[in-house]
Amino acid sequence: MDHKIKALINQGENQFIEFKEQKVHPDSIAKEMAAFANTQGETILIGVSDQTEICGVDDSRNWEEWVANISRHNIIPAIQADCIIVEIEGKKIVAVDIPKGNDKPYQTNKNLYHIRIGSTSRVASQAELMRMFQHAGMFHYDLTGIENTSLKHLNMTAISSYFQRYDIDIDDEKDVTSLLINTDVLTDKTNVTVAGLLLFGTYPQKFLKNSSISYAHFAGTGLNDELIDRQVIEGNLPFQIDTALSVLKHNIMEASKIEKAKRVIQSTRYPDKVFRELLVNACVHRNYAIHGSRIRILHFDDRIEFISPGRLPNTVTIEKLKSGVSYAVNPVIVKFMENLRYIDKLDRGIPMVCHEARLLGFEPVFQEAGEEFQAILPL
């Protein structure tokens, strides 16, 4: 263990490591605990200076009890911090491991929400705090109304087609407005919701700038290789998914040969339902409150990467995802896309992707990187 701690000290402070000297105030430790729990977790080392000097701690306090009291009483909700004391170069170091929190967002008893950015912890911005509440299921961005929007920004033909399958005819504008408010397409103030615009908007990108899919096909295995095809796909979500699927299929080459004047496919490939599932997953579960980036599909010779803005919700892990556990970050979008039959209501989508990949001898990769979720499909 002491070798591991020594290696951490040699790294210097970073996104996962924070140094504190013995005289640190409990409020300072609480701030770092909350920041780590709100981000990716990791380690606080007490007895090390910012310049990586090993100062050590003395026996003036029971350090395990002191740390436990801070984690229970100075953080809301309380966290479970593991504390051990190790000896490095003849001096005692207190190592405090903070897990990635399952009950985000965490705040200090000073009512401040902190996050970890690089080697520093700071108070979360309004947008960052909103994303944390969204991950916790306390707030759903797709229910938010968009200013300066109204019924005129919706495709009434698409709406009429959707409700006709439930034998609901749309004739009177007053009845239409009431229906769309009750189904969360409009707010009570008759602004179009984020979900309503993404599902039925005439041009959602006018108000939601990057609510689109960027596709890029490279002639190789890296971003610096020659670009074969690049497209930005806009429109409502059903159009984006259908178009992106067509683009992907067009760009996937199948090895073949001619036998007795007949073309015979030599290579195996994923069924369309695999690509469709990963496209739907990216569109339905992305965090639309992150305005600065699109969904990105990066197509290389050896893999296809489906990259969606936003992290997994608090209660969902990668392993749970592979087992079919899901959580609706955007419940209104999920509701409509289920009804439009883009989503399997039994949550069999990701397990199906894993199964189909394994039949071809591959193992798909699912991971979080920064504020993004990545699904990587080997080819």
Side-chain angles (χ1 to χ4, degrees), residues 93-272:
I93 303 293
V94 182
V96 184
D97 286 330
I98 311 297
K100 175 184 175 182
N102 290 324
D103 297 312
K104 301 176 188 175
Y106 295 87
Q107 62 177 313
T108 67
N109 57 357
K110 305 297 182 184
N111 299 317
L112 294 174
Y113 296 88
H114 294 271
I115 58 171
R116 187 77 174 179
I117 302 293
S119 60
T120 61
S121 298
R122 62 168 174 79
V123 176
S125 67
Q126 183 180 23
E128 290 162 340
L129 188 58
M130 181 173 66
R131 288 200 290 271
M132 284 194 285
F133 276 106
Q134 191 173 358
H135 290 163
M138 301 176 184
F139 167 76
H140 297 295
Y141 185 72
D142 64 341
L143 280 165
T144 305
I146 301 173
E147 288 189 13
N148 302 316
T149 60
S150 63
L151 203 61
K152 68 180 182 181
H153 295 103
L154 295 174
N155 182 334
M156 296 310 298
T157 301
I159 289 174
S160 178
S161 175
Y162 174 84
F163 283 106
Q164 278 179 359
R165 67 184 63 198
Y166 301 104
D167 295 325
I168 300 175
D169 292 323
I170 296 178
D171 296 315
D172 183 81
E173 183 174 323
K174 182 178 179 181
D175 291 338
V176 171
T177 300
S178 177
L179 175 64
L180 296 183
I181 289 173
N182 290 334
T183 53
D184 297 316
V185 175
L186 296 176
T187 67
D188 291 341
K189 296 180 180 179
T190 68
N191 290 135
V192 183
T193 63
V194 169
L197 198 66
L198 288 169
L199 291 158
F200 301 113
T202 52
Y203 182 51
Q205 289 70 33
K206 178 179 179 180
F207 299 95
L208 300 170
K209 299 296 182 184
N210 285 305
S211 60
S212 52
I213 298 174
S214 174
Y215 172 83
H217 185 187
F218 297 90
T221 59
L223 293 170
N224 293 325
D225 289 313
E226 179 185 354
L227 195 60
I228 297 174
D229 189 12
R230 184 181 186 279
Q231 299 190 39
V232 175
I233 303 166
E234 298 183 331
N236 63 33
L237 292 187
F239 179 83
Q240 287 186 47
I241 292 166
D242 294 343
T243 303
L245 180 58
S246 296
V247 170
L248 257 175
K249 290 169 62 178
H250 176 75
N251 275 270
I252 292 175
M253 305 297 291
E254 291 180 320
S256 63
K257 64 179 181 178
I258 302 298
E259 290 184 355
K260 298 179 181 180
K262 183 179 180 182
R263 181 172 177 264
V264 179
I265 302 298
Q266 290 182 299
S267 62
T268 56
R269 53 158 283 181
Y270 293 97
D272 291 351

Side-chain angles (χ1 to χ4, degrees), residues 2 17 33 40 42 51 61 89 108 118-119 157 163 185 202 204 206 240 244 262 285 330 343 352 359 365 377:
D2 56 340
I17 305 295
M33 284 183 173
Q40 291 298 297
E42 279 305 335
Q51 292 74 38
R61 58 165 58 108
E89 298 178 2
T108 67
S119 60
T157 301
F163 283 106
V185 175
T202 52
K206 178 179 179 180
Q240 287 186 47
K262 183 179 180 182
H285 296 300
N330 303 301
I343 296 176
M352 176 274 294
L359 289 178
V365 176
L377 197 63

Side-chain angles (χ1 to χ4, degrees), residues 331-349:
V332 182
I333 293 175
V334 167
K335 174 187 68 177
F336 279 102
M337 293 298 278
E338 281 182 344
N339 293 341
L340 289 168
R341 298 187 178 178
Y342 280 85
I343 296 176
D344 183 338
K345 295 184 180 182
L346 299 177
D347 294 327
R348 296 178 297 184

